[in-house]
Amino acid sequence: MELGPRVHQQDGQGEASEQQAAPSDAPVSLAHEISALWGEYLDGREVGADDDFFALGGNSLIGIKIIDRVCRDYGVELSVRDFYVAQTPARVAELIVQGRPRT
């Protein structure tokens, strides 16, 4: 059973490792970036940080596209389940922060 986001190494070396980070608040700027990203896939509509994915008209195909984009742009692989449970850009941003490697 997959728990939480996984980090993909950008250099392609090795397997992605699971991160066990304590919940943290994502920066507001990251939540706004994720909101804008969602807007791109939701017909250009305005998306707020606390807007619900499904209430905005999101569906499974759009969700998969956003998950793929998050992986490419942020190096964090979200499970479909985590994405759907998160439901808002702010919560997805928190998952991204949790999945990033600590330095």
Side-chain angles (χ1 to χ4, degrees), residues 34-35 38 48-53 83-94:
I34 300 305
S35 297
W38 283 25
D50 294 316
D51 287 347
D52 182 275
F53 177 71
F83 179 81
Y84 290 154
V85 169
Q87 293 185 341
T88 69
R91 290 191 208 132
V92 169
E94 289 176 12

Side-chain angles (χ1 to χ4, degrees), residues 53-76:
F53 177 71
F54 296 105
L56 293 169
N59 59 45
S60 59
L61 182 58
I62 293 170
I64 296 298
K65 290 177 180 181
I66 292 172
I67 290 168
D68 181 59
R69 178 80 177 274
V70 165
C71 184
R72 285 187 286 127
D73 290 0
Y74 298 96
V76 176

Side-chain angles (χ1 to χ4, degrees), residues 1 11 20 28 33 57 62 91 98:
M1 181 163 112
D11 61 4
Q20 296 293 328
V28 173
E33 288 177 26
I62 293 170
R91 290 191 208 132
Q98 290 174 20

Side-chain angles (χ1 to χ4, degrees), residues 13 17 33 35 39 49 80 83 86 90 100 103:
Q13 299 289 324
S17 63
E33 288 177 26
S35 297
V80 172
F83 179 81
R100 285 184 173 163
T103 55

